[in-house]
Amino acid sequence: MKRNVVLVSICLLTATAAGLLAMSRTDREVSLESVVEIWADVIRDMDRVGLTITRVSDEREMEIGQEIDKHRPWRLKDDPVLQAYVAAVGQSLVPHVQRKGISYRFAILDSPMINAFALPGGGIVITTGMLNFLESEAELAAILGHEISHVDLRHCIERLQYELAARKIVGRELAMIVRIQYQLVNLGFNEQHELEADAGGVILAAMAGYDPRAAITVFERLAKVKRVRQVKKPRRKPTLMVGELGIALEKALEHYFATHPPTDKRVRQLESVINRNASAWRGQQFYVGRSNYRDRIPRSSEARPEELVARS
Amino acid sequence: MVFLWFFYMFAFFAFSIAPLVIIWLIWRKRFKRLTEQVTYLAARIQDLEQQISLSQAAPPPPKPHVEHAPQPEVAPSVAQVKGAEAWGQLIAERPPIPRIEPARAVAEATPAKAAPPRTPPMPRPTPPAAKLRERISPNLAKMGVDAADWEAVIGGKWLNKIGIVVFVIGVALFLGYSLRYMGPLGRVATGVVTSLTLLFGGVLLERVEKYSLFAKPLIGGGWALLYFTGYAAHNIEVSKIIHDPIRGIALLAVIAGGMILHSLKYRSQVVTGIAYFLGFLTVAISPLTGFALVASAILAASLVAILRGTGSSALGLFGVAATYLNHLLWLEYRMGGPAQLVHTDSFWLAQGMLVLYWLLFSAFDFVLEPGNDTEEKIGFAASLANTVAFLGLSYRQVGIVFPDARYLLTGLTALAYVASSYLLRVLGRHKYHLINASVAVLLIALTFPLKPPSSPLSQHWLAIAWLLEAAVVLALGSYLKEMVFRMQAYLLSAVALGALFVINLYGTPEPPDVLRWATVLPAIAFFYLLLWWLPKSLGTGKVLKDEKYVGPMFSYSGSALLAILLWKELDPVAVALAWGFMGLILLEAGVRFGQVPLRIQAYLLSALAFGRLFLANFTAPGEILGLSHRVVTVVPIIAIFYYLVHRLKEEGDAGRLAEYEKHLPQVYSYTAAALLVILARFELTRSLTVLAWAALGFILLTLGIILRNRDLRIQGCLIAILTVWRSWSTNFFLVGSLYGIPERLATTVPVIALLFISQLLCLYRRELFPKAEEAQRGLARLDANAQGIFSILGGFLLAILLFFEVRGNLLTVAWTIEGLGLMAAGFLLRERTLRLSGLGLFAVCLFKVFVIDLRGLETIYRILSFILLGIILLLVSFAYTKYKDLIKRYI
């Protein structure tokens, strides 16, 4: 009797689930993204031991950063005003980082590409293309906060830790193999690093008083640009189950080698971060800084009351 | 014209050679025996002649009494006459032949004298014929050929038959040849006279035994020529003396009647065979009109009557082939192809004739009485040839004139076969009944695909139609205990299954959803029904060796169909749920009805559902009523898996599971736990996952203790380990806040608390856990050491938290206090692992103060660390000393 009750309950539960699904159709292709994410989780968790053992001190990381600076191949923008503006915004975030031993430096790369990147030891580079794309100081803070978080969370130096350790043991050439292998393996959690950096950047920007929602705005605008530039692949409907598996595998590989997660995922994650921190930020006013950005005058030099917004 | 002559020559050779081959196949052994007998007789006669000539030349030596004359006297003279080894061997192997008593003649010739003693015979001169045979015998012997037999066979048997065939064809051609000086009456009279001459001549010669073999072909040829003359009297223009077709037919019927009666009187296959062979041949080589078809039909009808009396299946087969061939020739060459039937009335004549032929030859099934297996097989071949020829020609005709009516033709033919099959069964002609029934089944099946395009039923209903037919045939097979019908039903079902895949599921264009469901679901129900019904219906009748696997195979097909149907019709996120539910129903049915195949299908489907979750559900976006699609679809599957655990465990305890099924409850239990872990990971994002995992691990441990379920406890341990590892790799690096609390603390402190609570729980119910020495294998060791594991994990995580929160100057102090806490708890709870954890932490602190603090810390903190650590170590040591005996008891 008890068994029948349980069975009927499960049937009702399944029927309810089916009914709910029928009310909302999803239009989504299958993919093995979940497998890629679980794999990345596993690698990341297992990696913790090795990364702890091969941990590089802040000082050593600074040395490496300076070494990279000396040999940089790119050309910096020669615009002192813009340079000072970016540095001012960036430096307003630095007091809120965890690793106080890193000294952050900001540079502008003269390139039309919409991009920014971080280097071990605190080097933050942003392109002129990105600067032209952004519309407010809060957005700039979000981007710089994202890149600072990469350094603060050791994403940059961890990519080199194994190679540095291997150099001491097997020499420079063989150590390069270690680096390549490691980078291939941790391609899977590129996405995790990006999401962590998104979250870290938003929190840094909010701690510095900038509007945390600016990050969502800039990512959504970036996604629109990407959609316009990309030719959308027609959705393929497989005839056989095996065909569906093939498509899922193809998508999983694309996902594995992608440098950034999909925008909708980033936006969802940011919404979640903002919600989790909402109680801490309740009642606080945040700075947007559109006019500051336009005029290239940082908030630290001229705070404009009309640029303040309240986020509930 | 040239083509016509080529055709005539081809027909001549075909019609002349084929019957000869058939007759040779049947009569070759008989020929051989007859040949041996004749050979022996010839040799015997010769030997006697020699003896007579010798006895006339010299006084014969005294011979013993004739009754005691030994047989070997004959043998040496036969061997001398033959001469070659092959001959001697042939006679030595011959069957015993009744001895002619030559000695009586000798005794009568010389009655007064006493028989002299026997002496070896003197060498006798070899006669010329024997010399010739002796000369050629070795060569023939090398070839393995019997020289005397061949000569006799060719000369005595075949030449007369070939001769009569050639002669009759010649006369038939004459009757069709236009001569200036001979009118139709003259030609007909010539034909009649010739045929009567052959007939009567044959009849007269047949009375003389010596010419009996020679005479029979004459009789056959005579009848054939008479029949053809009657046919030519109406149908061939230059010989036409009868203008009324009814009279023409009547005349043919009369002649055919005569053929029947005469054949039945003689019961000679030679006579009948030649008569009918020539009859059909002559009709074929004449101008083929509708009347020619009638003539063929009359011949065929008469053949049926003859076969009833003689049982010659080969004649029947020949008759079928010849009749339909005539019709084909008429259709293609006389009419110029079936397209010519479109605007004429000839179509109905042609089709009517085909039906008549079919009816006539179908009568073979009712009248043939084969004498042996070969005759029986030829009879079956004739029956099938009738079907194939009838349908082939009918399709050819109907396909052009009424292309949409082919299904009707097939259906009506099928019904006719159903009727004949029933009648044959009633009459007790079992094998023919089976053949007719099988043909009926095949034709009914063919009817469905031939339906016209305008039919309201689309091709998607084909499979259903075939399954309905299969059901009826299967029911018949069960009721009548006929294995053949059951096999046909299985075959039909397999074909229907193929159609379902090719047309209903994967056909283009795709059918509407409703139609797909409406056609596939009944098929699935049928396949499941077979699983249940077949074992009951097989009963005690004859069954195939592996017939018991048919039901399960079809049930697998049904499940595969349903799984694919669900995959095609449902949203991607709903497929896993559907498969999981299907697995549940199948398992329940398999358990309740004792059907192992259903259980296996359930396991397969649940595995597929599990895999499918990774494809479409865990990363599915969207939500409904505040619940993500992920939760809505994964939670029911987890519930199903837990139900399967419970159900299979019940069955296992009752001893109703197979060996390979006994570990499945465990598998499902661990799988369900894994799904919960993964669901939490995707539902809550990486940083908050540890909270859910810690709670899950605690719940599983608690349930494992309450339900005394070792697997749940082990799962709790494993999840705890996973939680700690994730916390270490992720949560200690979080910088945000969670509802006002720093995220690091908000996520790790509850985890640590739950770990210690779990440890207390294990301590409280320690009697449920096995002793460490009892646990032999991997996971069982986890259960035995659960308490210690939770303790270590909790202590470790707390130490890490302190490292991140307190780091720097006061870390050693913090760790020392933690160590003290662990020691105190260890003493209080009498838990050794806690005490050991505390000692371990003290060891780490010792290492730190001497290696790191001594160099790196500020002086005041360094001093504080050393003093505090020293005091605590002393306290602990004191405690160990004071409670030494108690501790020994604890250990």
Side-chain angles (χ1 to χ4, degrees), chain B residues 27 40 82 88 97 136 318 354 367 378 553 575 660 853:
Chain B
W27 284 356
Y40 169 74
K82 301 277 187 194
I97 296 166
I136 65 174
F318 167 72
L354 285 177
V367 304
I378 296 175
M553 272 170 48
V575 173
Y660 63 87
D853 294 354

Side-chain angles (χ1 to χ4, degrees), chain B residues 587-664:
Chain B
L587 181 87
E588 198 57 37
V591 165
R592 285 184 194 233
F593 300 118
Q595 291 284 357
V596 174
L598 291 183
R599 294 210 301 264
I600 296 174
Q601 289 160 38
Y603 306 146
L604 288 171
L605 271 164
S606 56
L608 281 176
F610 173 78
R612 178 78 191 181
L613 291 174
F614 292 90
L615 272 180
N617 294 71
F618 282 123
T619 47
E623 55 181 47
I624 178 78
L625 297 179
L627 293 170
S628 68
H629 286 135
R630 183 183 305 122
V631 168
V632 167
T633 52
V634 176
V635 166
I637 291 179
I638 293 171
I640 287 170
F641 276 26
Y642 275 121
Y643 177 80
L644 293 181
V645 172
H646 167 71
R647 195 71 166 95
L648 288 172
K649 202 159 175 315
E650 252 182 17
E651 292 296 303
D653 292 341
R656 289 194 286 262
L657 288 185
E659 196 57 42
Y660 63 87
E661 289 176 292
K662 283 184 180 157
H663 295 293
L664 285 176

Side-chain angles (χ1 to χ4, degrees), chain B residues 430-448:
Chain B
H430 186 248
K431 288 186 181 175
Y432 282 104
H433 148 71
L434 287 180
I435 290 176
N436 277 247
S438 303
V439 171
V441 168
L442 176 64
L443 290 178
I444 292 171
L446 282 175
T447 305
F448 306 127

Side-chain angles (χ1 to χ4, degrees), chain A:
Chain A
M1 181 65 187
K2 190 174 144 192
R3 188 205 315 136
N4 290 339
V5 168
V6 171
L7 182 62
V8 167
S9 307
I10 292 177
C11 292
L12 284 173
L13 178 65
T14 310
T16 308
L20 287 174
L21 285 176
M23 285 162 59
S24 68
R25 291 187 78 88
T26 60
D27 186 30
R28 191 174 183 278
E29 284 183 320
V30 297
S31 81
L32 284 168
E33 207 176 297
S34 60
V35 175
V36 172
E37 286 193 34
I38 292 171
W39 169 249
D41 275 2
V42 169
I43 296 296
R44 183 85 187 273
D45 290 342
M46 287 170 60
D47 213 21
R48 183 49 52 196
V49 176
L51 290 173
T52 304
I53 292 169
T54 58
R55 175 159 289 192
V56 169
S57 65
D58 293 352
E59 292 76 23
R60 177 72 181 120
E61 188 177 340
M62 289 291 301
E63 285 171 17
I64 294 167
Q66 282 156 12
E67 197 68 31
I68 293 172
D69 265 345
K70 279 185 201 167
H71 296 99
R72 63 168 180 252
W74 47 80
R75 195 183 61 186
L76 295 179
K77 174 83 174 170
D78 186 15
D79 186 339
V81 172
L82 190 58
Q83 175 67 48
Y85 175 71
V86 168
V89 174
Q91 290 299 337
S92 67
L93 306 176
V94 170
H96 305 286
V97 300
Q98 292 185 80
R99 295 168 63 202
K100 308 295 184 194
I102 301 291
S103 161
Y104 289 90
R105 305 165 310 284
F106 299 91
I108 302 171
L109 180 62
D110 193 2
S111 163
M113 280 177 61
I114 303 174
N115 202 2
F117 53 90
L119 298 167
I124 307 293
V125 182
I126 187 166
T127 63
T128 48
M130 175 66 89
L131 288 171
N132 292 334
F133 180 76
L134 298 173
E135 292 176 357
S136 70
E137 196 166 296
E139 289 182 6
L140 177 62
I143 297 297
L144 292 176
H146 175 100
E147 300 306 331
I148 290 170
S149 293
H150 273 312
V151 178
D152 199 31
L153 296 171
R154 293 181 179 274
H155 295 164
C156 302
I157 194 60
E158 280 175 355
R159 287 170 190 260
L160 299 172
Q161 274 180 220
Y162 288 132
E163 185 191 351
L164 289 169
R167 266 194 208 175
K168 291 179 192 169
I169 303 167
V170 298
R172 184 179 284 261
E173 288 74 24
L174 287 175
M176 274 190 67
I177 297 171
V178 170
R179 171 160 60 103
I180 292 165
Q181 281 187 340
Y182 179 70
Q183 284 180 346
L184 276 173
V185 165
N186 81 2
L187 274 175
F189 59 80
N190 270 346
E191 180 175 306
Q192 287 181 3
H193 281 172
E194 292 301 320
L195 292 173
E196 285 174 7
D198 285 346
V202 159
I203 289 169
L204 278 178
M207 281 181 178
Y210 288 104
D211 180 17
R213 296 205 72 87
I216 296 176
T217 312
V218 78
F219 288 146
E220 284 175 344
R221 217 161 61 239
L222 268 171
K224 271 186 201 161
V225 168
K226 204 173 156 187
R227 270 198 295 274
V228 165
R229 288 182 183 174
Q230 269 182 355
V231 175
K232 191 171 167 60
K233 285 185 193 173
R235 182 174 169 182
R236 290 166 293 173
K237 188 173 177 187
T239 311
L240 299 173
M241 280 194 216
V242 174
E244 192 180 57
L245 204 60
I247 291 172
L249 197 59
E250 190 184 320
K251 282 183 163 297
L253 287 172
E254 278 176 19
H255 182 87
Y256 189 78
F257 287 102
T259 52
H260 287 83
T263 307
D264 58 339
K265 196 166 185 178
R266 298 178 88 169
V267 168
R268 276 202 309 277
Q269 139 104 349
L270 286 172
E271 297 273 9
S272 171
V273 167
I274 293 170
N275 289 336
R276 288 205 300 272
N277 288 273
S279 57
W281 297 338
R282 189 169 290 125
Q284 197 174 328
Q285 285 192 312
F286 294 101
Y287 201 82
V288 178
R290 286 183 195 280
S291 57
N292 292 79
Y293 191 79
R294 199 177 48 242
D295 301 335
R296 299 293 193 250
I297 301 173
R299 184 190 61 164
S300 53
S301 299
E302 187 180 318
R304 299 172 184 176
E306 66 275 16
E307 294 291 344
L308 284 169
V309 292
R311 296 288 182 199
S312 58

Side-chain angles (χ1 to χ4, degrees), chain B residues 145-188:
Chain B
V145 169
D146 188 330
D149 284 348
W150 253 106
E151 194 177 353
V153 165
I154 293 171
K157 292 191 176 53
W158 292 107
L159 279 184
N160 58 346
K161 292 179 182 64
I162 296 169
I164 196 66
V165 168
V166 173
F167 178 71
V168 168
I169 290 173
V171 175
L173 290 173
F174 167 76
L175 289 174
Y177 183 62
S178 179
L179 274 179
R180 190 182 295 177
Y181 301 109
M182 189 180 280
L185 188 59
R187 274 182 273 275
V188 169

